[in-house]
Amino acid sequence: MELLSPLRDGFQNVPAKVEGKVGSPMAKKEKQDPRAASSVDRHIGARIRARRLDIGLSQERLGEAIGVTFQQIQKYEKGVNRVAASTLIDIAAALEVRIEALLPAPGKGGVSETSLDDPEVAQLMHGIIRLNAEGRRVIKSLVKSLMSDEKMRAKGSR
């Protein structure tokens, strides 16, 4: 690693091994803030967004219903901010769903960082929800067909 060192004539490259120095801020491993949002928070946010869009509710209206700004709703939906348990109860009531509908399935051991965070997938889900049974059967058949083609599958999916 090279650091710039101020000298009389300006800056020069000076080799330095910061990682091994005792007392160096980089010598310690960075501890992750236990209060920071996680994949579970992003999953909950994606479910909040999907349900809000499904019932045609704006972020502003949802915010008014639970007593926060629409910017806070944006942060919840993106998983930037964690949703407190009491706030989650209020959100579930405003979205007219049980709290369980917003939580990851039990026993999964964690939430994968996949499609629910992807805006294209959220848009597809939003469209599929609005289809009738026949339309959903057609989409299901199309997806099954596409999944049989290895070139169409996402890496790591079977």
Side-chain angles (χ1 to χ4, degrees):
M1 177 178 200
E2 302 237 331
L3 296 177
L4 297 179
S5 175
L7 297 177
R8 285 178 259 155
D9 300 331
F11 286 87
Q12 291 185 2
N13 289 333
V14 177
K17 284 193 171 188
V18 176
E19 295 86 8
K21 287 187 176 182
V22 177
S24 166
M26 294 179 73
K28 296 179 183 177
K29 290 183 179 178
E30 287 187 38
K31 291 184 180 178
Q32 210 171 18
D33 183 358
R35 297 171 296 164
S38 68
S39 61
V40 172
D41 298 301
R42 287 185 287 280
H43 179 84
I44 290 169
R47 292 234 177 137
I48 290 169
R49 178 177 172 78
R51 176 61 182 162
R52 181 182 59 76
L53 291 174
D54 186 39
I55 64 173
L57 192 63
S58 70
Q59 289 176 332
E60 187 174 6
R61 293 279 185 221
L62 178 55
E64 288 172 2
I66 66 166
V68 300
T69 64
F70 78 91
Q71 291 96 334
Q72 187 62 47
I73 298 297
Q74 287 177 334
K75 290 177 182 181
Y76 291 151
E77 290 182 353
K78 290 179 182 179
V80 174
N81 285 7
R82 302 183 95 172
V83 182
S86 59
T87 304
L88 190 59
I89 291 169
D90 294 341
I91 290 172
L95 296 176
E96 300 174 347
V97 294
R98 295 176 51 110
I99 295 171
E100 294 85 7
L102 302 175
L103 300 175
K108 293 285 184 179
V111 177
S112 90
E113 303 244 0
T114 57
S115 354
L116 288 177
D117 296 328
D118 184 343
E120 284 185 345
V121 173
Q123 187 177 14
L124 283 169
M125 288 174 54
H126 185 62
I128 290 170
I129 288 169
R130 290 185 160 31
L131 294 175
N132 65 19
E134 180 61 26
R136 288 191 299 272
R137 277 193 288 280
V138 170
I139 294 294
K140 182 180 174 183
S141 174
L142 175 63
V143 169
K144 188 175 181 180
S145 174
L146 289 171
M147 288 300 295
S148 68
D149 184 349
E150 192 172 320
K151 291 183 282 183
M152 294 292 177
R153 286 192 302 248
K155 291 182 180 179
S157 65
R158 293 182 183 196

